Amino acid sequence: MATKTAPINMRVEPQVRNVIDAAANLLKVDRSVFIQQAALAQARLVISNQRDFALDDVAFDAFEQALKVKPKANEGMTELLNRKAPWQ
């Protein structure tokens, strides 16, 4: 079964296109493949920077201790959750 593709169109200045083309030629790929690979690599980096993080031993211990602290009761939240819904 063939996978469908989705078009992505963009306009760039000629000098930008020329730089992209030069880099794509060095890697022996076409412009579309080069742009797709570069965009995908950057997208993965952005996502991992928002999702993954590394801590040294001291910071990790502090992080674990913060996770172990019992949360404080929030009176407003407790009242809200115990309130009868308007449609009831």
Side-chain angles (χ1 to χ4, degrees), residues 53-72:
F53 58 95
L55 301 172
D56 62 28
D57 291 341
V58 173
F60 184 74
D61 289 342
F63 178 71
E64 280 192 315
Q65 290 304 317
L67 290 176
K68 291 177 184 177
V69 173
K70 186 175 179 181
K72 296 178 186 174

Side-chain angles (χ1 to χ4, degrees), residues 6-24:
I8 297 177
N9 300 306
M10 68 174 79
R11 298 183 83 60
V12 297
E13 295 180 3
Q15 44 290 32
V16 172
R17 186 200 59 223
N18 293 341
V19 171
I20 292 170
D21 286 348

Side-chain angles (χ1 to χ4, degrees), residues 16-51:
V16 172
R17 186 200 59 223
N18 293 341
V19 171
I20 292 170
D21 286 348
N25 288 333
L26 288 170
L27 294 178
K28 301 194 181 343
V29 297
D30 65 32
R31 181 187 308 144
S32 293
V33 170
F34 181 83
I35 292 171
Q36 181 180 355
Q37 289 174 346
L40 186 57
Q42 185 64 25
R44 287 180 174 151
L45 179 63
V46 168
I47 291 168
S48 76
N49 285 341
Q50 294 296 313
R51 185 185 59 200

